[in-house]
Amino acid sequence: MEGNDDSTSKWTLPEPLVFDGMALPSFPPLHKDARKRFEDIKNLECRKDDVILVTYPKSGTHWAWEITSMLLKQKAEYAKEPKECFFLEALPDLSVVQNMPSPRPLNTHLPYRWLPIRHIQNGGKIVHVLRNPKDVCVSMYHHFKTTMSFGKLRDFGTFFDKLFLNPKAHIMDGWFKFEKDFEQAAREDKLGAILTLHYESLKKNPIQEIHRLAEFLNVKLTEEDIAEISDKCSFQKLRLANDSIKDHSWISGDMPDKVREHELLTKKMFRKDCVLLTSPFYARLSLSSTGIIGDWKNHFTVAMNEEFDAVYKEEMKDSNIHVQFE
Protein backbone atom coordinates (compact mmCIF):
# COMPACT_ATOMS: atom_id res chain seq x y z
CA MET A 1 0.00 0.00 0.00
CA GLU A 2 1.39 3.38 -0.96
CA GLY A 3 0.80 5.63 1.99
CA ASN A 4 0.15 9.31 2.33
CA ASP A 5 3.54 9.85 3.93
CA ASP A 6 4.07 13.46 2.98
CA SER A 7 0.62 14.98 2.94
CA THR A 8 1.48 17.56 5.58
CA SER A 9 4.32 19.08 3.57
CA LYS A 10 3.69 22.29 1.70
CA TRP A 11 2.68 21.79 -1.91
CA THR A 12 1.27 24.39 -4.23
CA LEU A 13 -0.14 23.79 -7.67
CA PRO A 14 1.40 25.61 -10.62
CA GLU A 15 -1.04 27.89 -12.39
CA PRO A 16 -3.05 25.53 -14.62
CA LEU A 17 -4.19 26.16 -18.17
CA VAL A 18 -7.94 26.65 -17.80
CA PHE A 19 -10.64 26.91 -20.45
CA ASP A 20 -14.39 26.46 -20.11
CA GLY A 21 -13.91 25.61 -16.45
CA MET A 22 -11.50 22.77 -17.23
CA ALA A 23 -7.86 22.29 -16.25
CA LEU A 24 -6.15 21.29 -19.49
CA PRO A 25 -2.99 19.37 -20.39
CA SER A 26 0.05 21.31 -21.57
CA PHE A 27 -0.31 20.79 -25.31
CA PRO A 28 1.26 23.62 -27.38
CA PRO A 29 -1.94 24.29 -29.42
CA LEU A 30 -3.91 24.70 -26.20
CA HIS A 31 -1.29 26.97 -24.66
CA LYS A 32 -1.27 29.07 -27.79
CA ASP A 33 -5.04 29.51 -27.99
CA ALA A 34 -7.23 26.94 -26.24
CA ARG A 35 -10.48 28.56 -27.34
CA LYS A 36 -9.48 28.49 -31.00
CA ARG A 37 -8.46 24.83 -30.88
CA PHE A 38 -11.66 23.81 -29.08
CA GLU A 39 -13.81 25.74 -31.54
CA ASP A 40 -11.85 24.39 -34.51
CA ILE A 41 -12.53 20.86 -33.28
CA LYS A 42 -16.20 21.60 -32.73
CA ASN A 43 -16.44 22.98 -36.28
CA LEU A 44 -14.31 20.27 -37.87
CA GLU A 45 -15.45 19.11 -41.30
CA CYS A 46 -16.18 15.43 -40.82
CA ARG A 47 -16.72 12.58 -43.25
CA LYS A 48 -19.56 10.13 -42.94
CA ASP A 49 -17.20 7.25 -42.21
CA ASP A 50 -15.13 9.03 -39.55
CA VAL A 51 -14.95 7.28 -36.18
CA ILE A 52 -14.11 9.33 -33.09
CA LEU A 53 -12.76 7.59 -30.02
CA VAL A 54 -13.63 9.61 -26.91
CA THR A 55 -12.13 8.80 -23.53
CA TYR A 56 -11.47 10.44 -20.22
CA PRO A 57 -7.66 10.51 -19.80
CA LYS A 58 -6.07 7.26 -18.61
CA SER A 59 -8.98 5.10 -19.72
CA GLY A 60 -7.26 2.88 -22.27
CA THR A 61 -7.12 5.22 -25.25
CA HIS A 62 -4.11 3.71 -27.03
CA TRP A 63 -5.43 0.19 -26.65
CA ALA A 64 -8.94 0.99 -27.91
CA TRP A 65 -7.56 3.16 -30.71
CA GLU A 66 -5.33 0.37 -32.04
CA ILE A 67 -8.21 -2.12 -31.96
CA THR A 68 -10.50 0.36 -33.73
CA SER A 69 -7.87 1.08 -36.38
CA MET A 70 -7.45 -2.62 -37.13
CA LEU A 71 -11.19 -3.12 -37.38
CA LEU A 72 -11.55 -0.20 -39.79
CA LYS A 73 -8.80 -1.66 -41.97
CA GLN A 74 -10.46 -5.07 -41.57
CA LYS A 75 -7.18 -6.79 -40.77
CA ALA A 76 -4.87 -7.29 -37.81
CA GLU A 77 -2.28 -4.82 -38.99
CA TYR A 78 -0.72 -2.12 -36.84
CA ALA A 79 -1.14 1.43 -38.00
CA LYS A 80 2.28 2.81 -38.88
CA GLU A 81 1.29 6.18 -37.48
CA PRO A 82 0.96 6.47 -33.68
CA LYS A 83 -2.35 7.42 -32.14
CA GLU A 84 -1.06 10.96 -31.55
CA CYS A 85 -1.21 11.64 -35.30
CA PHE A 86 -5.01 11.53 -34.93
CA PHE A 87 -5.24 13.25 -31.52
CA LEU A 88 -7.35 16.33 -32.17
CA GLU A 89 -6.39 18.65 -29.31
CA ALA A 90 -2.64 18.06 -29.62
CA LEU A 91 -1.99 18.09 -33.37
CA PRO A 92 0.25 21.02 -34.37
CA ASP A 93 -2.16 21.88 -37.18
CA LEU A 94 -5.69 20.47 -37.40
CA SER A 95 -5.66 20.87 -41.17
CA VAL A 96 -3.50 17.74 -41.43
CA VAL A 97 -6.53 15.56 -40.73
CA GLN A 98 -8.03 16.68 -44.04
CA ASN A 99 -5.27 14.79 -45.85
CA MET A 100 -5.78 11.57 -43.92
CA PRO A 101 -7.30 8.67 -45.86
CA SER A 102 -10.73 7.39 -44.88
CA PRO A 103 -11.95 5.94 -42.68
CA ARG A 104 -10.24 8.20 -40.13
CA PRO A 105 -9.91 6.89 -36.54
CA LEU A 106 -9.78 10.23 -34.73
CA ASN A 107 -9.42 10.44 -30.97
CA THR A 108 -9.84 13.00 -28.20
CA HIS A 109 -10.24 13.57 -24.47
CA LEU A 110 -12.65 16.46 -25.00
CA PRO A 111 -16.02 16.32 -23.23
CA TYR A 112 -19.08 15.63 -25.32
CA ARG A 113 -20.14 19.28 -25.68
CA TRP A 114 -16.96 20.04 -27.62
CA LEU A 115 -17.07 17.15 -30.09
CA PRO A 116 -17.42 18.00 -33.82
CA ILE A 117 -20.99 19.20 -34.18
CA ARG A 118 -21.42 17.99 -37.77
CA HIS A 119 -20.23 14.52 -36.81
CA ILE A 120 -22.93 14.38 -34.14
CA GLN A 121 -25.64 15.83 -36.38
CA ASN A 122 -24.83 13.34 -39.15
CA GLY A 123 -24.88 10.35 -36.82
CA GLY A 124 -21.13 9.77 -37.09
CA LYS A 125 -19.78 6.87 -35.04
CA ILE A 126 -18.48 7.65 -31.56
CA VAL A 127 -16.69 5.02 -29.50
CA HIS A 128 -16.51 5.81 -25.81
CA VAL A 129 -14.43 3.87 -23.27
CA LEU A 130 -15.39 4.03 -19.61
CA ARG A 131 -12.96 2.88 -16.91
CA ASN A 132 -13.24 2.41 -13.16
CA PRO A 133 -12.43 5.90 -11.79
CA LYS A 134 -10.36 4.47 -8.95
CA ASP A 135 -7.97 2.89 -11.45
CA VAL A 136 -8.12 6.06 -13.56
CA CYS A 137 -7.04 8.00 -10.48
CA VAL A 138 -4.05 5.72 -9.90
CA SER A 139 -2.96 5.79 -13.54
CA MET A 140 -3.35 9.57 -13.67
CA TYR A 141 -1.27 9.97 -10.51
CA HIS A 142 1.65 8.08 -12.05
CA HIS A 143 1.25 10.09 -15.26
CA PHE A 144 1.36 13.46 -13.52
CA LYS A 145 4.06 12.35 -11.12
CA THR A 146 6.30 11.79 -14.13
CA THR A 147 5.29 14.80 -16.20
CA MET A 148 4.98 17.17 -13.24
CA SER A 149 2.15 18.90 -15.09
CA PHE A 150 0.70 19.89 -11.74
CA GLY A 151 3.92 20.30 -9.82
CA LYS A 152 5.99 17.71 -8.01
CA LEU A 153 3.56 15.20 -6.55
CA ARG A 154 4.97 13.94 -3.27
CA ASP A 155 2.51 11.12 -2.69
CA PHE A 156 -0.70 9.54 -3.91
CA GLY A 157 -2.76 10.91 -1.03
CA THR A 158 -1.92 14.49 -1.98
CA PHE A 159 -2.93 13.88 -5.59
CA PHE A 160 -6.11 12.11 -4.49
CA ASP A 161 -7.26 14.97 -2.24
CA LYS A 162 -5.97 18.06 -4.02
CA LEU A 163 -6.49 17.06 -7.63
CA PHE A 164 -8.63 14.04 -8.40
CA LEU A 165 -11.37 14.56 -5.81
CA ASN A 166 -10.97 18.32 -5.57
CA PRO A 167 -14.19 19.78 -7.07
CA LYS A 168 -12.26 22.92 -7.98
CA ALA A 169 -9.58 21.11 -9.99
CA HIS A 170 -11.76 19.85 -12.88
CA ILE A 171 -9.02 18.05 -14.83
CA MET A 172 -10.65 17.74 -18.27
CA ASP A 173 -14.00 18.46 -16.62
CA GLY A 174 -13.40 15.88 -13.88
CA TRP A 175 -14.31 12.20 -14.24
CA PHE A 176 -17.82 12.56 -12.80
CA LYS A 177 -19.03 15.37 -15.07
CA PHE A 178 -17.25 13.95 -18.11
CA GLU A 179 -18.94 10.58 -17.75
CA LYS A 180 -22.37 11.87 -16.71
CA ASP A 181 -22.47 14.21 -19.72
CA PHE A 182 -21.60 11.28 -21.95
CA GLU A 183 -24.28 9.17 -20.31
CA GLN A 184 -26.86 11.82 -21.11
CA ALA A 185 -25.64 12.09 -24.71
CA ALA A 186 -25.93 8.32 -25.13
CA ARG A 187 -29.41 8.38 -23.63
CA GLU A 188 -30.48 11.04 -26.13
CA ASP A 189 -28.76 9.32 -29.06
CA LYS A 190 -31.58 8.42 -31.46
CA LEU A 191 -29.28 7.36 -34.29
CA GLY A 192 -27.40 4.59 -32.51
CA ALA A 193 -24.18 6.52 -33.07
CA ILE A 194 -22.60 6.04 -29.63
CA LEU A 195 -21.08 2.85 -28.30
CA THR A 196 -19.71 2.67 -24.76
CA LEU A 197 -17.11 0.02 -24.03
CA HIS A 198 -16.14 -0.82 -20.48
CA TYR A 199 -12.40 -1.05 -20.02
CA GLU A 200 -12.81 -3.97 -17.61
CA SER A 201 -15.05 -5.94 -19.99
CA LEU A 202 -12.57 -5.42 -22.79
CA LYS A 203 -9.84 -6.69 -20.50
CA LYS A 204 -11.78 -9.74 -19.29
CA ASN A 205 -13.55 -10.68 -22.55
CA PRO A 206 -11.59 -9.13 -25.43
CA ILE A 207 -12.97 -11.39 -28.17
CA GLN A 208 -16.57 -10.69 -27.16
CA GLU A 209 -16.05 -6.94 -26.86
CA ILE A 210 -14.10 -6.66 -30.11
CA HIS A 211 -16.97 -8.49 -31.79
CA ARG A 212 -19.36 -5.92 -30.33
CA LEU A 213 -17.21 -3.06 -31.55
CA ALA A 214 -16.92 -4.61 -35.02
CA GLU A 215 -20.69 -4.93 -35.25
CA PHE A 216 -21.10 -1.29 -34.24
CA LEU A 217 -18.63 -0.24 -36.93
CA ASN A 218 -20.41 -2.41 -39.51
CA VAL A 219 -17.26 -4.45 -40.01
CA LYS A 220 -17.60 -8.13 -40.87
CA LEU A 221 -14.62 -10.28 -39.92
CA THR A 222 -14.05 -13.95 -39.27
CA GLU A 223 -13.54 -15.40 -35.81
CA GLU A 224 -9.89 -15.88 -36.72
CA ASP A 225 -9.54 -12.20 -37.66
CA ILE A 226 -11.06 -11.06 -34.36
CA ALA A 227 -8.81 -13.42 -32.41
CA GLU A 228 -5.75 -12.13 -34.24
CA ILE A 229 -6.67 -8.52 -33.51
CA SER A 230 -7.13 -9.37 -29.84
CA ASP A 231 -3.75 -11.09 -29.77
CA LYS A 232 -1.89 -8.30 -31.55
CA CYS A 233 -3.33 -5.76 -29.13
CA SER A 234 -1.90 -7.47 -26.06
CA PHE A 235 0.52 -5.40 -23.96
CA GLN A 236 3.70 -7.12 -25.03
CA LYS A 237 2.85 -6.99 -28.72
CA LEU A 238 1.72 -3.38 -28.61
CA ARG A 239 4.97 -2.47 -26.90
CA LEU A 240 6.98 -4.32 -29.55
CA ALA A 241 4.99 -2.64 -32.32
CA ASN A 242 5.64 0.77 -30.79
CA ASP A 243 9.38 0.09 -30.79
CA SER A 244 9.66 -1.56 -34.20
CA ILE A 245 6.74 -0.49 -36.40
CA LYS A 246 5.42 2.90 -35.36
CA ASP A 247 6.82 5.85 -37.29
CA HIS A 248 7.70 8.59 -34.81
CA SER A 249 9.55 10.69 -37.39
CA TRP A 250 6.71 13.21 -37.31
CA ILE A 251 7.94 14.31 -33.87
CA SER A 252 8.93 17.94 -34.14
CA GLY A 253 12.51 18.91 -33.45
CA ASP A 254 11.45 22.23 -32.00
CA MET A 255 9.21 20.88 -29.27
CA PRO A 256 9.33 22.75 -25.94
CA ASP A 257 12.50 22.06 -23.93
CA LYS A 258 10.50 21.00 -20.88
CA VAL A 259 8.67 18.34 -22.86
CA ARG A 260 11.91 17.12 -24.43
CA GLU A 261 13.46 16.76 -20.98
CA HIS A 262 10.52 14.71 -19.77
CA GLU A 263 10.67 12.47 -22.82
CA LEU A 264 14.32 11.75 -22.29
CA LEU A 265 13.60 11.06 -18.65
CA THR A 266 10.70 8.70 -19.29
CA LYS A 267 11.60 7.11 -22.62
CA LYS A 268 12.48 3.73 -21.17
CA MET A 269 10.48 3.77 -17.97
CA PHE A 270 7.87 1.06 -17.51
CA ARG A 271 5.19 0.63 -14.95
CA LYS A 272 3.34 -2.63 -14.43
CA ASP A 273 0.25 -1.20 -16.12
CA CYS A 274 1.75 0.76 -18.97
CA VAL A 275 4.43 1.28 -21.56
CA LEU A 276 5.76 4.81 -21.92
CA LEU A 277 5.87 6.36 -25.36
CA THR A 278 7.35 9.55 -26.72
CA SER A 279 5.57 12.36 -28.54
CA PRO A 280 6.04 16.10 -28.91
CA PHE A 281 3.04 16.85 -26.74
CA TYR A 282 2.71 14.13 -24.14
CA ALA A 283 5.71 13.79 -21.90
CA ARG A 284 4.43 10.40 -20.89
CA LEU A 285 1.95 8.47 -23.00
CA SER A 286 0.78 5.09 -21.85
CA LEU A 287 -0.80 2.05 -23.35
CA SER A 288 -3.07 1.88 -20.35
CA SER A 289 -4.80 -1.09 -21.93
CA THR A 290 -2.21 -3.15 -20.13
CA GLY A 291 -3.35 -1.84 -16.76
CA ILE A 292 -4.45 -4.48 -14.34
CA ILE A 293 -7.99 -4.26 -13.05
CA GLY A 294 -8.19 -3.19 -9.42
CA ASP A 295 -4.73 -1.65 -9.06
CA TRP A 296 -6.41 1.00 -6.92
CA LYS A 297 -6.34 -1.47 -4.05
CA ASN A 298 -2.56 -1.10 -3.95
CA HIS A 299 -2.84 2.67 -3.51
CA PHE A 300 -6.08 3.55 -1.70
CA THR A 301 -6.09 3.45 2.08
CA VAL A 302 -9.30 2.38 3.81
CA ALA A 303 -10.02 6.04 4.59
CA MET A 304 -9.44 7.10 0.97
CA ASN A 305 -11.73 4.37 -0.28
CA GLU A 306 -14.48 5.40 2.11
CA GLU A 307 -14.07 9.03 1.09
CA PHE A 308 -14.18 8.16 -2.60
CA ASP A 309 -17.24 5.94 -2.18
CA ALA A 310 -19.08 8.74 -0.38
CA VAL A 311 -18.26 11.24 -3.14
CA TYR A 312 -19.17 8.70 -5.82
CA LYS A 313 -22.51 7.96 -4.16
CA GLU A 314 -23.40 11.65 -4.08
CA GLU A 315 -22.10 12.54 -7.55
CA MET A 316 -23.69 9.53 -9.25
CA LYS A 317 -26.98 9.38 -7.36
CA ASP A 318 -28.98 10.23 -10.49
CA SER A 319 -26.82 8.19 -12.85
CA ASN A 320 -27.35 4.69 -14.22
CA ILE A 321 -23.69 4.21 -15.11
CA HIS A 322 -22.47 0.82 -13.95
CA VAL A 323 -18.80 0.91 -13.03
CA GLN A 324 -16.88 -2.34 -12.67
CA PHE A 325 -14.77 -1.70 -9.59
CA GLU A 326 -13.41 -5.27 -9.49
Side-chain angles (χ1 to χ4, degrees), residues 193-205:
I194 298 175
L195 174 71
T196 293
L197 295 173
H198 286 259
Y199 179 101
E200 293 74 21
S201 294
L202 192 55
K203 188 77 174 177
K204 296 173 185 175
N205 303 296

Side-chain angles (χ1 to χ4, degrees), residues 103-153:
R104 300 181 298 187
L106 307 176
N107 67 97
T108 182
H109 293 321
L110 267 58
Y112 185 82
R113 65 183 177 278
W114 284 104
L115 297 184
I117 187 65
R118 292 182 184 84
H119 188 75
I120 294 173
Q121 292 173 342
N122 295 333
K125 302 287 187 181
I126 297 173
V127 178
H128 169 233
V129 182
L130 186 149
R131 187 184 187 186
N132 168 7
K134 294 180 182 180
D135 280 337
V136 169
C137 178
V138 169
S139 185
M140 189 176 285
Y141 162 67
H142 285 283
H143 181 98
F144 289 147
K145 186 176 181 180
T146 302
T147 65
M148 294 186 288
S149 300
F150 290 89
K152 186 177 181 180
L153 299 177

Side-chain angles (χ1 to χ4, degrees), residues 260-296:
R260 189 183 298 111
E261 288 176 12
H262 285 163
E263 288 179 345
L264 292 175
L265 186 66
T266 64
K267 187 175 181 180
K268 294 186 178 181
M269 283 180 60
F270 291 88
R271 201 169 83 80
K272 64 184 175 183
D273 71 334
C274 63
V275 55
L276 302 179
L277 311 175
T278 57
S279 96
F281 312 115
Y282 266 129
R284 176 186 184 273
L285 291 170
S286 65
L287 290 165
S288 55
S289 60
T290 60
I292 62 175
I293 297 172
D295 192 29
W296 63 269

